[in-house]
Amino acid sequence: ATVHQAFLALGTHYGKVYLLDVQGNITQKFDVVQVFGLYSAEEFHETFDCPIKIVAVHPHFVRSHFKQFVTGGKKLLLYERGWMNRWKPSVLHEGEGNIRNVKWRGHLIAWANNMGVKILDMISKQRITNVPRDDISLRPDMYPCSLCWKDNLTLIIGWGNSVKICSVKERHASEMRDLPNRYVEIVFQFDTEFYISGLAPLCDQLVILSYVKEISEKTEVECCARPRLDIVQPLPESCEEISSDALTVRGFQENECRDYHLEYSEGESLFYIISPRDVVVAKERDQDDHIDWLLEKKKYEEALMAAEISQKTIKKHKILDIGLAYINHLVEKGEYDMAARKCQKILGRNTELWEFEVYKFKEIGQLKAISRYLPRRDPVLKPLIYEMVLHEFLESDYEGFATLIKEWPGDLYNNTIIVQAVVDHLKKDPQNRTLLRTLAELYTYDQRYGRALEIYLTLRHKDVFQLIHKHNLFSSIRDKIVLLMDFDSEKAVDMLLDNEDKISIDRVVEELENRPELQHVYLHKLFKRDHHKGQRYHEKQISLYAEYDRPNLLPFLRDSTHCPLEKALEICQQRSFVEETVYLLSRMGNSRSALKMIMEELQDVDKAIEFAKEQDDGELWEDLILYSIDKPPFITGLLNNIGTHVDPILLIHRIKEGMEIPNLRDSLVKILQDYNLQILLREGCKKILVADSLSLLKKMHRTQMKGVLVDEENICESCLSPILPSDASKSFNVVVFHCRHMFHKECLPVSNTVSPVQFCNICSAKHRGPGSAILEMKK
């Protein structure tokens, strides 16, 4: 047998040749051995002198330069077309028994006879190897040799139960001598468990057709079993079985090893197993076969993944069909959420399929399961689909309904229909907060912001401020300021102050007139932002602070420049706010009354002393001493604190004889320590000043002792001519001051003083210091 991509050629023992198509139908029949063109008139025929066991034509026989073929029998004959298109035979080999197998690849011919396998190089017309058969006990006619070329340089030999993989290599020039320029190396060799009937390459693996004998369980006699088609991975000294299949062919019980044959088609990875009664076609399993198996095992997830990976090569299956089958499978198993989730990936942008699946989920009562995965953009389904899902939730799950309304864009469905449905349900349950909140969101989608705001304020919903900002609803809240403040005064005040241009300060204060506590919150925050914006309300704020926020009253009185002090003093005195009253009295210039109040009302000598220190007024200290002179605890406080502001002797002289003063000894010791500390500080300062003065004097002296550069560019400040004469040999006198002003000596005005030291007239006129002293140069 031999194989072509378009047909299979079979030869029989009686010399007949049949051409079969790929379906096994006989297309042509020949009764004689011939070499001729199937699609041309070219033909060669001759009576041979011996039976022909095998024929092989040149791989490029169709070309005019390669009209060659070989025949095998008792001789290996090469036929070549010569002069006048005559065919000339020549003997390539003989004398070693019948030649039953010949394979021609490129420039190499391999053949097998009773002794072994030979390879002939057609370029050099030299035989380059002889591979002897291993088991000579096996009859070569009963266990024939199988040959196949994996590529132009790799020959695979199978004989008996032995496999050899031979590689044709180039011999190095230094090793050639009289040897052929090529040689053969056996790179892999291993034995099989069964006898080999045929070989074929499959990528880096081998396909082996094996003849199997086994012991019958009934008769315990050795008999022929079904042949096996194995795929093995060659290893250096063994092989690894990848797969194995037993083939059922008719009459396998009577067949021998020689009755089976294996041929293959390289283009399509088809393998033909020829037996006396059957031809079996085997092909490599493809991704379609793999997907078939996965679907049969209901492994839909893996089948879908396999189809996606191989979508360019699969021919039988479609990703969408597998996906739909997967969804149906999940639904049948009751895994509705998983089925709905897979719809996103499988259905993609196909709106018709989406709508079909939604209705299918509705029929089984699982609209809720698919609702989370419905497309919302690209594509968008019919509004009826979304409305159907919303109605399903509205009937049984208010929270789920609210979630969908929040997540879905408002343009997916008819808003008016859904609003009416919600209103109908609110008639049954008017106080349902979930429905009210959802209705507000629906009004927002429909741009009915006023209605939405009313609901939000009723619900005291956190999104009310966001809604006002987003849609600029300030005109709608002018009469709802109290409601906003009651809901969240901090956020409301911040919003109102941030939008003064839309709702004025006066309008807010007016709206809050009946709620002074809220009015105070607003005005207080306004004052913190800007001390002057609400100045017209500062008088009002005094009472508000006094009533609702006493801790912030004193800071307000200190920071406000528009607060009427008399009114503030009146309110503070009425409420007996001592600290605030003291501050106001001192601010109004009545420090003595303020001090008296501290002493009498607060009876806090430390605060009184602190107040006196702040005012730094001798009369206040005198009042403080007079008030404290008959109060021993106050005297102790004064002795401990006034040492740095008032002479302690003034206080000590006024203390009555015999008065018991707590901790007097400690107070006196502290006064002495403070005095010593003051003395030490003064001495330290004096030393620092003296050292600094001396250092500066030395620096000035060094500076004044430095030389001064005088060159041709300098001029006399009086006559404005060059300071140096043009003739350097003449004598000259120059006066240079430390201020860098220069004069010819004769140009310098005569000093009126008796002192010999001269000063620069220019710097003296500008009231400069001693830096203008003279430096005289003579030559």
Side-chain angles (χ1 to χ4, degrees):
T2 188
V3 172
H4 185 268
Q5 291 182 1
F7 57 83
L8 170 67
L10 293 176
T12 71
H13 286 291
Y14 296 101
K16 296 183 184 298
V17 177
Y18 296 91
L19 289 186
L20 311 178
D21 62 17
V22 292
Q23 281 80 31
N25 302 310
I26 298 176
T27 58
Q28 293 187 57
K29 175 184 174 183
F30 306 95
D31 293 328
V32 293
V33 176
Q34 292 178 312
V35 176
F36 65 94
L38 287 175
Y39 308 107
S40 67
E42 187 174 30
E43 182 177 328
F44 166 72
H45 171 61
E46 182 175 325
T47 302
F48 299 97
D49 61 354
C50 63
I52 301 300
K53 301 294 184 181
I54 191 76
V55 176
V57 298
H58 194 291
H60 304 294
F61 187 85
V62 292
R63 299 180 187 175
S64 60
H65 298 293
F66 301 106
K67 298 298 182 182
Q68 297 174 319
F69 67 91
V70 294
T71 61
K74 291 184 179 181
K75 300 177 184 178
L76 181 67
L77 293 175
L78 170 66
Y79 289 85
E80 299 178 278
R81 177 179 281 177
W83 186 63
M84 294 184 68
N85 288 333
R86 293 184 178 179
W87 291 89
K88 177 185 176 183
S90 59
V91 178
L92 297 178
H93 184 74
E94 64 178 332
E96 292 183 355
N98 281 331
I99 297 171
R100 291 185 174 84
N101 202 345
V102 178
K103 295 293 180 182
W104 195 336
R105 181 71 174 253
H107 299 292
L108 300 172
I109 300 175
W111 72 92
N113 56 30
N114 292 352
M115 304 301 294
V117 176
K118 281 79 174 169
I119 299 178
L120 179 74
D121 187 348
M122 288 295 292
I123 296 177
S124 63
K125 294 292 178 69
Q126 288 181 305
R127 200 170 67 193
I128 61 175
T129 190
N130 176 32
V131 182
R133 64 189 179 109
D134 293 333
D135 192 349
I136 59 174
S137 66
L138 298 175
R139 288 173 53 185
D141 59 331
M142 297 296 290
Y143 296 91
C145 176
S146 298
L147 298 175
C148 69
W149 288 97
K150 180 181 178 182
D151 53 47
N152 286 349
L153 298 173
T154 305
L155 176 67
I156 305 173
I157 304 171
W159 206 336
N161 62 350
S162 172
V163 176
K164 295 182 176 68
I165 301 178
C166 307
S167 178
V168 179
K169 299 185 177 181
E170 297 288 337
R171 199 183 299 277
H172 194 272
S174 62
E175 301 174 352
M176 290 185 63
R177 301 173 190 153
D178 297 330
L179 300 174
N181 59 354
R182 290 185 177 184
Y183 68 98
V184 173
E185 179 182 333
I186 299 176
V187 292
F188 291 98
Q189 178 174 347
F190 56 88
D191 294 333
T192 64
E193 296 180 359
F194 312 111
Y195 296 111
I196 298 167
S197 294
L199 287 171
L202 178 63
C203 299
D204 62 339
Q205 298 170 343
L206 283 180
V207 178
I208 300 177
L209 178 62
S210 302
Y211 172 68
V212 182
K213 286 190 175 183
E214 61 184 7
I215 305 297
S216 173
E217 294 181 357
K218 296 180 180 179
T219 62
E220 296 184 356
V221 177
E222 187 178 58
C223 60
C224 298
R226 292 184 299 168
R228 303 188 67 85
L229 190 68
D230 299 334
I231 299 176
V232 300
Q233 177 70 53
L235 300 173
E237 298 296 333
S238 63
C239 67
E240 178 186 353
E241 185 180 277
I242 305 302
S243 71
S244 180
D245 290 289
L247 305 178
T248 301
V249 294
R250 287 180 295 173
F252 67 86
Q253 296 89 345
E254 292 84 25
N255 291 341
E256 297 292 339
C257 182
R258 65 182 178 180
D259 294 325
Y260 296 110
H261 190 58
L262 177 65
E263 282 290 341
Y264 67 99
S265 172
E266 295 183 2
E268 299 182 7
S269 293
L270 293 176
F271 300 88
Y272 294 84
I273 297 94
I274 294 94
S275 73
R277 297 185 183 179
D278 292 309
V279 176
V280 179
V281 182
K283 64 177 181 178
E284 188 178 0
R285 288 195 180 274
D286 56 16
Q287 198 68 357
D288 279 312
D289 297 321
H290 178 54
I291 293 171
D292 276 334
W293 183 84
L294 290 172
L295 292 175
E296 183 182 342
K297 300 297 182 182
K298 295 188 177 182
K299 297 183 177 183
Y300 293 95
E301 180 80 22
E302 296 176 34
L304 187 61
M305 189 180 301
E308 289 172 347
I309 294 172
S310 307
Q311 56 183 325
K312 293 183 179 179
T313 58
I314 57 176
K315 300 174 183 178
K316 179 180 176 182
H317 295 282
K318 293 182 180 179
I319 295 175
L320 182 58
D321 293 340
I322 299 172
L324 292 175
Y326 186 25
I327 293 172
N328 291 333
H329 174 69
L330 291 172
V331 170
E332 290 172 2
K333 288 176 62 179
E335 297 181 14
Y336 304 113
D337 186 75
M338 177 64 76
R341 190 185 312 163
K342 292 299 177 183
C343 286
Q344 284 187 313
K345 179 180 180 182
I346 294 167
L347 305 183
R349 299 180 180 179
N350 193 322
T351 55
E352 293 182 3
L353 285 177
W354 264 111
E355 291 169 5
F356 176 79
E357 289 296 327
V358 171
Y359 280 110
K360 192 162 68 176
F361 273 74
K362 177 179 173 59
E363 289 174 3
I364 59 176
Q366 290 296 329
L367 271 180
K368 291 183 179 180
I370 202 170
S371 63
R372 296 169 53 192
Y373 307 105
L374 287 178
R376 305 168 190 178
R377 283 285 180 270
D378 193 24
V380 174
L381 309 181
K382 293 177 183 177
L384 180 62
I385 298 295
Y386 302 101
E387 292 164 13
M388 186 168 63
V389 174
L390 290 173
H391 280 293
E392 180 78 13
F393 273 92
L394 192 56
E395 291 298 327
S396 58
D397 183 0
Y398 286 163
E399 290 296 335
F401 174 76
T403 301
L404 289 183
I405 293 297
K406 182 174 290 186
E407 292 178 354
W408 284 0
D411 57 354
L412 291 180
Y413 47 85
N414 189 322
N415 194 279
T416 305
I417 293 175
I418 303 302
V419 166
Q420 186 58 48
V422 175
V423 171
D424 291 343
H425 276 265
L426 277 171
K427 291 176 182 177
K428 306 172 189 175
D429 188 2
Q431 302 303 318
N432 190 292
R433 296 181 62 83
T434 301
L435 285 180
L436 286 170
R437 184 175 68 250
T438 308
L439 182 60
E441 291 177 4
L442 290 168
Y443 281 140
T444 303
Y445 293 148
D446 209 20
Q447 298 185 358
R448 289 187 276 181
Y449 302 120
R451 302 284 297 273
L453 184 61
E454 289 178 11
I455 297 175
Y456 277 136
L457 286 173
T458 303
L459 294 173
R460 301 170 72 89
H461 195 273
K462 60 182 179 60
D463 290 342
V464 66
F465 297 103
Q466 182 182 352
L467 183 71
I468 295 169
H469 277 292
K470 185 176 180 179
H471 302 292
N472 197 19
L473 303 180
F474 295 98
S475 59
S476 302
I477 64 169
R478 292 179 183 275
D479 56 347
K480 299 179 177 65
I481 293 174
V482 174
L483 284 173
L484 286 170
M485 293 285 286
D486 278 335
F487 174 36
D488 190 329
S489 60
E490 288 293 321
K491 283 188 177 180
V493 169
D494 286 337
M495 181 188 71
L496 293 169
L497 293 177
D498 290 339
N499 297 275
E500 288 179 35
D501 55 329
K502 296 163 185 169
I503 301 180
S504 66
I505 296 171
D506 296 338
R507 177 58 185 265
V508 176
V509 174
E510 180 183 348
E511 284 291 320
L512 298 175
E513 191 64 39
N514 296 326
R515 295 291 298 276
E517 74 280 6
L518 298 178
Q519 198 177 56
H520 163 69
V521 172
Y522 174 78
L523 290 173
H524 171 63
K525 208 149 196 177
L526 173 65
F527 180 75
K528 287 177 69 177
R529 286 198 180 191
D530 191 324
H531 292 347
H532 307 289
K533 273 190 178 179
Q535 63 185 36
R536 60 179 294 188
Y537 299 108
H538 283 197
E539 182 175 346
K540 177 191 285 288
Q541 281 185 269
I542 300 170
S543 300
L544 293 175
Y545 275 111
E547 181 68 26
Y548 303 107
D549 193 6
R550 164 78 187 280
N552 281 313
L553 175 57
L554 187 55
F556 170 74
L557 296 173
R558 285 176 177 158
D559 295 337
S560 173
T561 56
H562 308 286
C563 176
L565 300 180
E566 295 82 1
K567 177 68 174 176
L569 181 61
E570 178 184 347
I571 293 172
C572 292
Q573 286 176 338
Q574 287 175 355
R575 294 176 176 269
S576 302
F577 291 170
V578 178
E579 291 187 24
E580 291 81 354
T581 303
V582 168
Y583 169 74
L584 290 169
L585 287 172
S586 64
R587 186 170 169 184
M588 295 170 70
N590 196 350
S591 301
R592 302 184 75 176
S593 298
L595 180 63
K596 182 179 179 182
M597 196 167 188
I598 294 172
M599 300 293 287
E600 292 178 353
E601 298 289 339
L602 297 180
Q603 294 188 354
D604 188 341
V605 66
D606 294 329
K607 200 170 190 69
I609 294 170
E610 189 65 31
F611 181 76
K613 288 180 180 179
E614 288 177 2
Q615 303 300 320
D616 197 18
D617 186 347
E619 293 184 1
L620 282 181
W621 285 109
E622 182 68 24
D623 291 345
L624 182 56
I625 293 171
L626 289 175
Y627 183 83
S628 304
I629 202 67
D630 57 347
K631 300 177 181 63
F634 277 45
I635 294 175
T636 302
L638 285 172
L639 289 173
N640 288 334
N641 290 283
I642 69 171
T644 55
H645 289 76
V646 181
D647 189 353
I649 299 300
L650 297 176
L651 174 62
I652 293 170
H653 282 168
R654 297 186 182 184
I655 299 173
K656 295 179 181 178
E657 291 289 339
M659 179 182 287
E660 281 195 20
I661 300 172
N663 301 318
L664 177 61
R665 181 180 65 81
D666 295 340
S667 299
L668 293 176
V669 169
K670 186 176 183 302
I671 290 173
L672 293 175
Q673 287 176 342
D674 290 345
Y675 177 74
N676 288 334
L677 182 60
Q678 289 182 13
I679 296 300
L680 289 173
L681 285 172
R682 290 182 181 181
E683 289 179 353
C685 292
K686 179 180 177 183
K687 289 179 180 179
I688 292 170
L689 287 171
V690 169
D692 286 350
S693 299
L694 181 59
S695 174
L696 291 171
L697 178 63
K698 289 179 179 179
K699 183 177 179 181
M700 183 184 74
H701 186 259
R702 286 197 305 271
T703 303
Q704 291 185 344
M705 288 295 290
K706 289 181 180 179
V708 178
L709 175 65
V710 179
D711 56 20
E712 292 82 357
E713 294 182 1
N714 296 110
I715 61 172
C716 174
E717 297 292 343
S718 179
C719 67
L720 302 179
S721 58
I723 198 69
L724 298 178
S726 56
D727 187 359
S729 62
K730 295 182 180 179
S731 61
F732 64 92
N733 291 329
V734 174
V735 178
V736 180
F737 292 94
H738 287 292
C739 59
R740 299 301 188 266
H741 291 132
M742 303 177 185
F743 298 90
H744 295 121
K745 187 164 186 180
E746 57 270 17
C747 296
L748 192 66
V750 180
S751 176
N752 297 327
T753 61
V754 183
S755 172
V757 180
Q758 287 183 297
F759 295 96
C760 173
N761 290 351
I762 297 173
C763 294
S764 296
K766 294 179 181 179
H767 307 288
R768 293 188 180 173
S772 57
I774 189 173
L775 175 63
E776 185 172 346
M777 296 176 59
K778 294 183 179 180
K779 183 176 178 182

